Amino acid sequence: MYSVAYSPDGRYIASGSNDSLIRIWDAKTGALVGEPLEGHAGEVFCVVYSPDGRHLVSSSWDQAIRIWDAATGASIGNPLKGHSAQVLRVVCSPDGRHIASCSSDMTVRIWDVQTGAPVCEPLMGHTGIVRSVAYSPDGRRIVSSSFDRTIRVWDTETGAPLGKPLEGHTSDIPSVAYSPDGRHIVSCSFDRTIRIWDARSGASVGEPLKGHADIVNSVSYSPDGQHIISCSDDRTIRIWDTKNGAPVGCPLKGHIGRVISASFSPDGRHVVSTSLDKTIRIWDTDTVISLGDEFKGHLSAAMTAMSSPGGPDVSYTDTMNQIWNSDVSRGAVPSDLHLDQNGWVNQVNSGLLFWVPENCRNGLTCPAILTIPTGGFGDVVRLSPSDACFGASWEQIATNG
């Protein structure tokens, strides 16, 4: 699963995945509710509830945003289209009238929910993938974070940037959020730190929060603003005191894969988390234990988790292990390899070599050297062509694997 979100009343959890489907779960029992929502033509990167809980909003690899009736699962209106690359995150304005989205096309867009039309020109300024976007509680500002290592604040009426970019992180910034009172902004980074910012001045507040042993993937506030929750490639979830920046209790452990996102339930009593171990977990914030069994149902690993504004290692088969080899010294990687739109890697004048599974392509950051994450945005393996099996050998492994 790529994304999960609590309904405002906390009764349901919606999830999206790279099987292109959206599913709704009973938050207490973990049972699936109704049939999957179908319509996207690619991975569903993000799904959120509207503030009143009547609608779901989703974004996808297919560059589209869709609005759904949360009760019936019916698609409402036409898809919202305008981004020129995959739409990584969507969020509803506090009054439910607008949707903000961010994309790999390095822009942020604001949409009218009723008409589906853009409210203003694309918000441009980032020089890298825009990974996260969030509304201020009063709806007057939007904050965005990017892989250009900056955070930007925008006026929602004019689309104009407000002040200078917030700088301080030394690596990509995958997540950003406003505090419930709108006074602060929290961000996390691949530099393994969490930072708190003054929302008005843009000044950094206090020292960075440190404790995670690997990339920090997601960060958000508790509904009462007293705590911050974060999760990491170190497979843990941490809760922090916003007053002094100290960790609250021990890290939450239970996922066996990198934890991509975690957030509080609308009442603050629970935490929902998603991981590349292909599960969703719900935690009790008082006892700090995982409640019940993991939610399972999609075909792929989880990527993001968040509660609605009303309140929020991929395990490869033995076959894959025979294909990918982490010892790059055993064979040189050709420099003329290319990945086509159907997932086939080919070499110039040599035809097709092998096929890359769909859930691996997003992490194929440099086809020329074939760097492929085995479990997320952290550790990588490199292909050793001398050990790989092509043609009939590949077919035999796929058949016998």
Side-chain angles (χ1 to χ4, degrees):
M1 286 155 280
Y2 275 141
S3 174
V4 295
Y6 264 109
S7 62
D9 60 11
R11 296 176 57 195
Y12 302 105
I13 293 174
S15 64
S17 171
N18 71 359
D19 60 11
S20 77
L21 301 176
I22 298 167
R23 288 181 166 87
I24 300 175
W25 313 75
D26 186 295
K28 288 186 178 181
T29 67
L32 285 169
V33 178
E35 296 296 320
L37 281 58
E38 301 183 46
H40 280 296
E43 296 95 324
V44 180
F45 287 130
C46 185
V47 58
V48 297
Y49 276 91
S50 61
D52 61 11
R54 295 174 56 193
H55 300 119
L56 283 165
V57 182
S58 59
S59 64
S60 169
W61 175 271
D62 63 13
Q63 305 179 14
I65 299 163
R66 286 182 175 268
I67 302 174
W68 313 79
D69 186 300
T72 67
S75 181
I76 299 175
N78 295 319
L80 311 185
K81 295 185 177 181
H83 283 293
S84 59
Q86 59 265 40
V87 187
L88 300 174
R89 185 68 60 86
V90 286
V91 63
C92 295
S93 62
D95 62 10
R97 295 174 55 199
H98 299 125
I99 295 168
S101 59
C102 62
S103 168
S104 292
D105 66 11
M106 300 186 289
T107 70
V108 175
R109 287 178 176 262
I110 305 174
W111 311 81
D112 186 291
V113 171
Q114 292 295 324
T115 66
V119 173
C120 57
E121 293 297 315
L123 282 55
M124 304 177 68
H126 283 295
T127 58
I129 291 172
V130 186
R131 189 63 184 84
S132 182
V133 64
Y135 271 96
S136 61
D138 62 9
R140 297 174 61 185
R141 298 183 177 199
I142 286 175
V143 63
S144 59
S145 67
S146 169
F147 281 9
D148 65 10
R149 305 182 181 184
T150 71
I151 298 164
R152 290 177 177 265
V153 180
W154 314 83
D155 185 292
T156 56
E157 291 188 5
T158 65
L162 299 174
K164 297 180 179 180
L166 282 57
E167 298 180 325
H169 283 296
T170 59
S171 190
D172 301 345
I173 308 172
S175 182
V176 66
Y178 269 99
S179 62
D181 62 9
R183 296 175 57 191
H184 297 111
I185 292 169
V186 65
S187 61
C188 66
S189 171
F190 287 6
D191 64 14
R192 305 185 181 185
T193 70
I194 297 160
R195 287 179 176 265
I196 301 174
W197 313 81
D198 185 292
R200 286 292 176 182
S201 69
S204 182
V205 178
E207 295 296 318
L209 310 186
K210 298 179 179 180
H212 282 294
D214 210 327
I215 288 169
V216 187
N217 293 309
S218 177
V219 67
S220 61
Y221 279 91
S222 61
D224 61 10
Q226 296 185 23
H227 299 110
I228 289 170
I229 191 166
S230 62
C231 63
S232 167
D233 273 12
D234 65 12
R235 304 184 182 185
T236 70
I237 301 160
R238 288 178 177 264
I239 298 175
W240 312 80
D241 189 303
T242 56
K243 292 181 180 179
N244 55 30
V248 177
C250 298
L252 281 60
K253 298 180 179 181
H255 282 295
I256 60 173
R258 293 161 174 82
V259 188
I260 301 303
S261 191
S263 60
F264 288 95
S265 61
D267 62 9
R269 296 177 56 193
H270 300 123
V271 166
V272 62
S273 60
T274 58
S275 166
L276 291 183
D277 63 13
K278 305 182 182 180
T279 67
I280 301 169
R281 284 180 177 265
I282 297 180
W283 312 76
D284 186 296
T285 56
D286 292 328
T287 62
V288 195
I289 61 173
S290 180
L291 301 175
D293 297 328
E294 306 99 327
F295 293 11
K296 298 179 180 180
H298 285 285
L299 301 177
S300 306
M303 288 298 287
T304 67
M306 64 187 301
S307 286
S308 67
D313 309 308
V314 175
S315 298
Y316 291 110
T317 65
D318 290 342
T319 300
M320 289 302 299
N321 290 333
Q322 295 179 64
I323 302 296
W324 309 114
N325 192 307
S326 61
D327 186 356
V328 296
S329 65
R330 297 174 65 181
V333 178
S335 61
D336 57 343
L337 297 179
H338 302 278
L339 180 73
D340 70 20
Q341 62 181 1
N342 296 316
W344 282 96
V345 173
N346 59 80
Q347 190 172 11
V348 176
N349 299 323
S350 297
L352 302 178
L353 296 180
F354 55 89
W355 181 76
V356 178
E358 190 172 7
N359 63 320
C360 296
R361 296 175 206 163
N362 295 342
L364 194 61
T365 55
C366 185
I369 60 173
L370 290 173
T371 302
I372 303 176
T374 59
F377 293 108
D379 300 336
V380 299
V381 293
R382 291 177 175 80
L383 176 69
S384 175
S386 63
D387 294 329
C389 297
F390 303 136
S393 297
W394 162 264
E395 294 174 0
Q396 182 177 1
I397 290 175
T399 300
N400 299 332

